[in-house]
Each structure stands twice: as structure tokens, then as C-alpha cells.
Amino acid sequence: MRITKSAIAIFLGIVCICAGLGLTAHNLIENHKMAQASRQVTNVLEQRILDNLQAGESGELKMKSEKIGDYYYLGIIEIPRLGIKLPVMDSWSYEKLLVSPVYYSGSYYEDNFVVCAHNSYAHFGKIRGVQIGDEIHFTTVEGKVLKYIVSNTRVLQDTAVEDMVFNKEKEDNKEDWDLTLFTCTLDGQARFTVRAIKAD
């Protein structure tokens, strides 16, 4: 009887290990696909940006986008120290979050630009390693490079939408930010948030 119980326990242990390995393999494959898709879009977007630079600026203060495949993109977000370089879509949905970071709120012209992304390693999973003083660059589809410096990080509850998109403290000069990046925490219950101010 003891041998039977031991055999069952060993079998169940092996099943659990196999299931864990299968899930890990699935996540690694999905992460690789996301990273590959983002690189391809970034390469196309960089060429479009060069083309737009040669064409010259229109002077209109409106965030412009470029269509690549089935989606429209505002530009490219980079955090050089973390090796992050990703395209940013012009609107958000859960479907789009599986493809690339997305525009969430505000505008880079109004200094309240908010971008969110999935917390996979291929997207914003690495932003938890950001440090105060790190540079963030956003290159618009017109070729304008906006440079920001990380000013602080915080964790906001998933219900704190107003705190995410509107800086109530800005009027009191307690906190100033021009750019926000955010992603889910590892447990998915809150949002890891990076605030940054313009470098100039």
C-alpha cells in the first residue's frame, strides 16, 4: 500500500513539473513572438520616420501616426540603459497590448503623455529595473526626438485611473511629470508606473 501511495505521489509530482515546464515554454515562445513582431514594426517605422524627416514638418501640433500592417503607430519609445526600443500604437485595446505598447492618454505636445504595455519581457517587463535619472526617448513618426529623464517610480492600484492620467500635484509643484509609462505588476493587481520629465 505504501508503494502505491508513493508511486501516485511521484506520478503527480512529475505531472506538475511537466505542466510547469509546458507553461514556461509557452510563455517563452509567446515572448519571443512579441519581441520579433515589435522589432519588425520598429524597423519599418524607423524608415517611415526618415522619409517623413526628408518631407519636412507640417507645423500642425497634432500627434500623427503611420499605418504599418493592420495598426497605426505614433512613434518609437526607447530606454537605452534597459535596451528597450519598441513601437507605440496610437490607441489601446487588450488585443493591441499583445502586439506592442500603446497610447493610453494625453499628448506629448501637452506634456501629459501616457503609454502602457504588457508586462512581458518583450515589452515593459524590464521597466521595473528603471532608475531615477535614466533617459527615455520618444521619436515621433515625423522624426522629432523627445528626451525625458526618469523622475520617480510608484505602484498605483488598477482602479487609480485618475492618478495615472492626471497629475493633481502638478499645480502645487510637488510632482512634475511629462511622460508616464506603466505596466501590470507581476501579480496583475496593480500598475508599476514610471514618471519622467522633459530633459530640456
Side-chain angles (χ1 to χ4, degrees), residues 39-52 65-68 73-76 86-88 139-141:
R39 277 195 300 272
Q40 289 173 348
V41 171
T42 300
N43 290 338
V44 174
L45 201 48
E46 285 179 327
Q47 184 56 54
R48 299 273 181 90
I49 287 168
L50 287 174
D51 294 342
N52 290 336
S65 60
E66 283 282 341
K67 187 175 184 183
I68 299 173
Y73 295 86
L74 292 174
I76 299 170
L86 296 163
V88 176
T139 305
T140 71
V141 294

Side-chain angles (χ1 to χ4, degrees), residues 88-156:
V88 176
M89 282 194 204
D90 73 338
S91 62
W92 87 275
S93 71
Y94 292 111
E95 175 195 345
K96 291 176 179 178
L97 277 171
L98 295 174
V99 180
S100 81
V102 298
Y103 164 78
Y104 185 77
S105 177
S107 165
Y108 48 74
Y109 286 116
E110 297 174 10
D111 297 333
N112 58 358
F113 191 36
V114 183
V115 176
C116 68
H118 191 57
N119 67 355
S120 72
Y121 190 76
H123 287 171
F124 275 5
K126 293 190 284 187
I127 70 167
R128 287 182 290 273
V130 79
Q131 297 175 4
I132 306 302
D134 280 353
E135 286 192 5
I136 300 175
H137 305 158
F138 183 77
T139 305
T140 71
V141 294
E142 298 167 290
K144 185 175 183 179
V145 180
L146 306 172
K147 295 185 178 180
Y148 302 87
I149 302 295
V150 173
S151 55
N152 70 70
T153 62
R154 59 177 56 196
V155 175
L156 295 174

Side-chain angles (χ1 to χ4, degrees), residues 170-190:
K170 197 166 187 177
E171 295 174 2
D172 300 328
N173 294 320
K174 291 179 182 175
E175 182 186 48
D176 189 17
W177 59 266
D178 302 308
L179 171 70
T180 293
L181 308 180
F182 75 92
T183 190
C184 291
T185 53
L186 292 176
D187 61 8
Q189 301 302 307

Side-chain angles (χ1 to χ4, degrees), residues 17-35 98 118 120-122:
I17 290 170
C18 290
L21 289 173
L23 182 61
T24 300
H26 171 75
N27 288 341
L28 288 173
I29 290 168
E30 288 300 308
N31 200 44
H32 176 72
K33 287 179 181 177
M34 291 165 72
L98 295 174
H118 191 57
S120 72
Y121 190 76

